[in-house]
């Protein structure tokens, strides 16, 4: 089996190597967009972790109205905590903030300070976008003065992450199409090149499976090699980006997060098995 594989690879070395390098470029594109999306999403989650939906209550809100507002907030998707910050707590925080300049507070009517609910989400980037449609409904509840959250900032980050996610998905589709096309063309060319030999083997009783096995193994190893080469290119790119951004922003130690090793293993193995599958179908189609 392996002797036939080495003979197969030796006879068609140029075609297999060209396919390997083209596939490596396609896998690198997929890894790049996956890497960018993963880091953008991770950064967004870290940056948005401290953000919350704030619902300011009217000064004369009744306990029944306050309870109705809390119940409505609890029904929002992804809510993990609802904190009621009362007027004395707001006043204490203002006094702490302006402790070096207390005269500022004397010019403010502190009796009108509102209490408010602070709603914390499990994933603010995703959950606040999902809850956005309910904000006008909560704004109209009796006792609600104002609803605030970082709508524009979160919206832009969320939209950008969705764009990168779509590009990652499209690059994956491009990878599969290019892989299927290249492997099918490559296998067809090698079969045409060995037509006389295959006809003799076929007449001697060789089955399509016997003829296909070395080509399927070659397809698997080409796909596997392309995936590994793409991972090496991706690692070099990440190292370059880490060094390029080191010290770019003072007091910020920014590092790109590498893709999870499970994703890399799945990508490399998936490319190898898909290449083998396309090779097998190509041989079967040739004999049919």
């Amino acid at each position: 089996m392996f002797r036939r594989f080495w003979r197969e690879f030796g006879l068609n070395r140029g075609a297999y190597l060209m396919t390997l390098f083209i596939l490596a470029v396609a896998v690198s594109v997929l890894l790049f967009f996956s890497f960018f999306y993963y880091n953008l999403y991770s950064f967004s989650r870290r940056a948005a972790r401290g953000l919350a939906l704030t619902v300011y209550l009217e000064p004369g809100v009744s306990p029944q109205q306050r309870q109705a507002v809390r119940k409505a907030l609890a029904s929002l998707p992804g809510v993990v905590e609802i904190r009621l910050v009362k007027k004395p707590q707001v006043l204490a925080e203002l006094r702490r903030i302006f402790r070096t300049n207390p005269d500022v507070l004397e010019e403010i009517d502190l009796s009108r300070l509102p209490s408010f609910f602070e709603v914390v989400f499990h994933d603010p980037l995703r959950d606040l976008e999902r809850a956005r449609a309910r904000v006008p409904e909560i704004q109209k509840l009796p006792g609600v003065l104002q609803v605030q959250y970082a709508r524009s900032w979160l919206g832009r980050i969320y939209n950008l992450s969705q764009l990168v996610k779509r590009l990652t998905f499209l690059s994956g589709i491009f990878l599969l199409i290019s892989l299927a096309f290249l492997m099918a063309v490559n296998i067809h060319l090698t079969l045409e090149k060995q037509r006389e030999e295959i006809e003799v083997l076929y007449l001697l009783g060789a089955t399509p499976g016997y003829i296909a096995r070395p080509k399927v193994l070659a397809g698997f190893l080409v796909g596997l090699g392309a995936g590994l080469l793409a991972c090496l290119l991706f690692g070099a790119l990440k190292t370059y980006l880490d060094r390029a951004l080191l010290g770019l922003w003072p007091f910020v130690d920014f590092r790109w997060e590498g893709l999870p090793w499970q994703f890399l293993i799945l990508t490399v193995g998936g490319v190898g098995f898909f290449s083998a599958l396309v090779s097998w179908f190509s041989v079967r189609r040739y004999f049919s």
Side-chain angles (χ1 to χ4, degrees):
M1 173 66 178
F2 286 101
R3 185 183 303 171
R4 292 170 55 215
F5 160 72
W6 283 116
R7 183 173 179 275
E8 166 73 21
F9 188 79
L11 289 172
N12 305 285
R13 184 186 299 111
Y16 281 123
L17 289 178
M18 181 186 69
T19 303
L20 185 147
F21 285 113
I22 295 176
L23 287 180
V25 172
V27 177
S28 298
V29 172
L30 172 66
L31 291 179
F32 172 76
F33 282 117
S34 301
F35 168 68
F36 189 57
Y37 170 72
Y38 180 73
N39 277 271
L40 179 65
Y41 187 73
S42 298
F43 166 77
S44 303
R45 289 196 64 177
R46 288 196 304 270
R49 196 168 292 156
L51 296 177
L53 180 72
T54 305
V55 180
Y56 294 96
L57 303 174
E58 294 178 350
V61 63
S62 66
Q64 292 80 7
Q65 291 173 334
R66 191 162 53 223
Q67 186 61 29
V69 174
R70 179 187 284 273
K71 186 177 180 180
L73 294 175
S75 66
L76 294 176
V79 173
V80 294
E81 185 180 2
I82 302 175
R83 293 193 293 260
L84 175 61
V85 182
K86 297 184 178 180
K87 188 185 299 184
Q89 295 171 276
V90 177
L91 183 57
E93 181 64 17
L94 286 174
R95 285 173 176 164
R96 186 189 67 79
I97 294 172
F98 294 103
R99 61 183 178 275
T100 58
N101 194 10
D103 295 338
V104 175
L105 296 179
E106 295 179 2
E107 301 174 4
I108 303 175
D109 184 7
L110 299 178
S111 64
R112 301 291 298 174
L113 280 177
S115 55
F116 60 87
F117 282 115
E118 193 174 58
V119 185
V120 180
F121 293 91
H122 174 70
D123 185 348
L125 183 66
R126 180 195 64 196
D127 296 332
L128 271 175
E129 280 298 312
R130 292 165 57 193
R132 185 171 62 177
R134 297 278 307 279
V135 169
E137 175 188 332
I138 294 174
Q139 178 72 62
K140 295 177 182 177
L141 290 176
V144 174
L145 181 64
Q146 183 69 37
V147 179
Q148 289 186 351
Y149 69 103
R151 176 178 178 177
S152 60
W153 186 87
L154 281 174
R156 292 191 188 105
I157 294 293
Y158 181 80
N159 291 335
L160 180 59
S161 67
Q162 292 304 301
L163 173 62
V164 176
K165 184 178 181 180
R166 293 188 186 98
L167 290 175
T168 304
F169 180 73
L170 289 175
S171 67
I173 294 177
F174 167 74
L175 168 64
L176 294 178
I177 293 174
S178 61
L179 193 157
F181 176 77
L182 285 171
M183 290 305 302
V185 170
N186 186 49
I187 294 298
H188 183 79
L189 290 176
T190 59
L191 288 169
E192 285 294 326
K193 187 178 178 180
Q194 299 171 262
R195 174 184 286 271
E196 293 183 3
E197 178 185 342
I198 291 172
E199 287 178 352
V200 172
L201 289 172
Y202 202 64
L203 289 173
L204 292 174
T207 63
Y210 176 84
I211 298 171
R213 276 194 286 272
K215 298 185 182 299
V216 171
L217 180 59
F220 172 75
L221 293 178
V222 165
L224 196 68
L228 292 173
L229 180 58
C231 287
L232 290 175
L233 293 173
F234 166 70
L237 173 65
K238 181 181 179 300
T239 301
Y240 169 77
L241 290 175
D242 281 338
R243 292 177 178 176
L245 295 176
L246 187 64
L248 184 63
W249 295 293
F251 313 111
V252 177
D253 183 19
F254 181 83
R255 296 276 180 178
W256 293 97
E257 292 186 32
L259 290 170
W261 61 269
Q262 296 95 330
F263 176 80
L264 295 176
I265 292 176
L266 183 64
T267 300
V268 173
V271 173
F273 280 110
F274 189 75
S275 298
L277 188 64
V278 172
S279 301
W280 184 79
F281 274 114
S282 299
V283 174
R284 299 292 295 184
R285 185 173 179 275
Y286 181 83
F287 280 102
S288 64

